[in-house]
Amino acid sequence: MAQTESPPASECTEPAPECTEPSSEMRAKIGEFVVDSAAMQGRRPKQEDRHVKVPDFSRAARALKMPIDHFEQPCAFFAVYDGHQGTLCADFIVKQFHLRLLKKLTVSDGSEAQTKRILCEVFEELDADFLAKYRTAPDGCTVVVAFLTGDQLFTAWVGDSRCLLCRRDRHGYPVTVAVTGDHRPSLPAEAMRVRKAGGQVIDVGDGALRVAHEGYVEKLRDIRRAQSQGLGTIGKEPVALAVSRALGDREFKRVTGRELLIATPDVSCVRLNTSCKFLALMCDGIPDVMRNEDIVQELLIKRDPSPAGDVRAACGALVQEAYKRGSGDNLTVILVRIVWQGHADEAFATKPPVETVDAESAAFVSKRRRLAANAAISAQKVAAHEKAVAADEAAEQAVRKAANAVELAEAARRAALETPVQTGEKSVNKVPDEKARSEAAAAAVAAEVLAAVKAQAPNKSDTQNTNDVEKTSHSGSEGPPAEGVSKPNNVKFTFV
């Protein structure tokens, strides 16, 4: 099992710990990056993730006439944009981020401090531009970007998209380095900032804390009560987000009065060496159901003899594994294998199996419990819908049978009334007493069945024809049927 290192708690101007070991021989130059990616829509109704891979950022910059040759080479850029509440924000950022970054890098001095400031500026400027251009769009997205120059890895992120680094320890075992840390309201510092801005941190019942405006619970309760009373939708349902930083999300930004979410990223700088083997950027759909160590172990499995084929197969296997584990989100991963000049790619050492089971993180257990609860609720809704449909069909069939019985009884009664009876010298139309009583009894039974069915399903539009039937009983003398009697549909019968 791979070990884990905590993510660096870095701000925009703070350096991150180096990924080094005490050996001068480990410093070398990066030869190339072997890169691939995989994306899956998963169980979401649409794909809202976007990603960018630029393994040779310097070449792309020269093609765009914005050279960055003054940076240490090679240069590369990778990013994952995880959209929510729509794709508009992710589509806007994926087209603009690397271009805006290049414009600033081409006039910078290439220092670490200035590169960090530039990354922060790009995040905040693009957020402002999106909110100014799309004044009614609620869309937002989380972002994680990696800018590599020489042996430096700059990582900037907002939200819960992640960047993981795999390196080899001095014994040859794989170690998982969490380069980023999720921006969630479960963090005390993030929760305090949200509350100071006038927002709330709430638990909606699935075990995950969310950011919401004041009165969220009360407004949602009023909407649910109105729906249960048959009043329909009385207003737009309020939104609660599982992240405390993101781009977009107009309803949670300063432009609407309260800045519950901010677009300021955390930025880290890691110095790479030959112990660092690969880098992985991913949306939150994967770590929601897999621990960081599980992700690295999945990417370490050798599946193809060629480096490019192995990277491609590893990306596909990871998203498939996350889907099998029940992830309900979109799934996206970018895998960057680092090839060092003059250093052969050695296999990791394998640790002996351990009988103990590693304890799962509280967030992972909570997410798994939440997914199971959502699946159970969905199954209950499907079963209730199927039961209601079956009941509706049974009620409609009973109504049709009752209507047919009434029609047959009426036809029999009319035929009996038209039967001539000889009395003396002339014939009269009169129903014998026994036959009249039997037909009247049949009509009464049919009327009772129809009334019972109508009482069970009074609101079904499909029973409108039978609801138009009137049944009237009089205890007078027998006589001919009332005039104006017509055939169903829309039948109006008068029993005399």
Side-chain angles (χ1 to χ4, degrees), residues 237-352:
E237 287 196 8
V239 178
L241 297 179
V243 294
S244 55
R245 301 191 193 188
L247 302 185
D249 291 311
R250 166 175 291 273
E251 297 177 2
F252 294 82
K253 292 296 177 63
R254 183 177 297 173
V255 293
T256 57
R258 294 183 178 180
E259 192 176 23
L260 307 187
L261 267 62
I262 60 175
T264 303
D266 277 343
V267 182
S268 71
C269 179
V270 176
R271 181 75 64 173
L272 305 176
N273 54 44
T274 56
S275 70
C276 303
K277 297 303 178 183
F278 66 77
L279 180 73
L281 288 76
M282 67 206 71
C283 66
D284 67 312
I286 296 174
D288 276 349
V289 295
M290 299 178 70
R291 296 177 298 175
N292 292 343
E293 298 86 349
D294 297 334
I295 295 171
V296 169
Q297 288 293 336
E298 189 69 33
L299 295 175
L300 282 173
I301 299 174
K302 191 74 173 178
R303 297 179 175 87
D304 194 281
S306 68
D310 186 55
V311 170
R312 184 181 305 109
C315 292
L318 180 62
V319 297
Q320 289 288 347
E321 180 64 21
Y323 183 82
K324 291 177 183 178
R325 295 194 183 196
S327 177
D329 204 348
N330 300 142
L331 303 168
T332 301
V333 62
I334 299 175
L335 179 59
V336 184
R337 290 201 185 276
I338 305 171
V339 180
W340 296 92
Q341 292 181 358
H343 290 263
D345 188 15
E346 301 178 1
F348 284 94
T350 304
K351 292 186 177 181

Side-chain angles (χ1 to χ4, degrees), residues 220-241:
L220 189 62
R221 186 186 299 119
D222 293 341
I223 293 175
R224 294 286 188 269
R225 184 184 298 113
Q227 291 175 346
S228 65
Q229 294 175 352
L231 302 179
T233 302
I234 62 174
K236 181 182 177 181
E237 287 196 8
V239 178
L241 297 179

Side-chain angles (χ1 to χ4, degrees), residues 62-89:
R62 288 192 294 271
L64 295 170
K65 302 187 183 304
M66 292 182 286
I68 54 173
D69 296 331
H70 56 288
F71 279 85
E72 188 177 356
Q73 302 299 316
C75 289
F77 176 82
F78 309 102
V80 172
Y81 309 100
D82 185 355
H84 50 261
Q85 300 195 84
T87 62
L88 197 59
C89 184

Side-chain angles (χ1 to χ4, degrees), residues 401-411 442-443 446-447 450 469 471 493 495:
K401 288 182 178 180
N404 291 336
V406 172
E407 184 179 358
L408 291 174
E410 174 63 13
L450 182 59
V469 179
K471 300 172 293 298
F493 293 142
F495 296 108

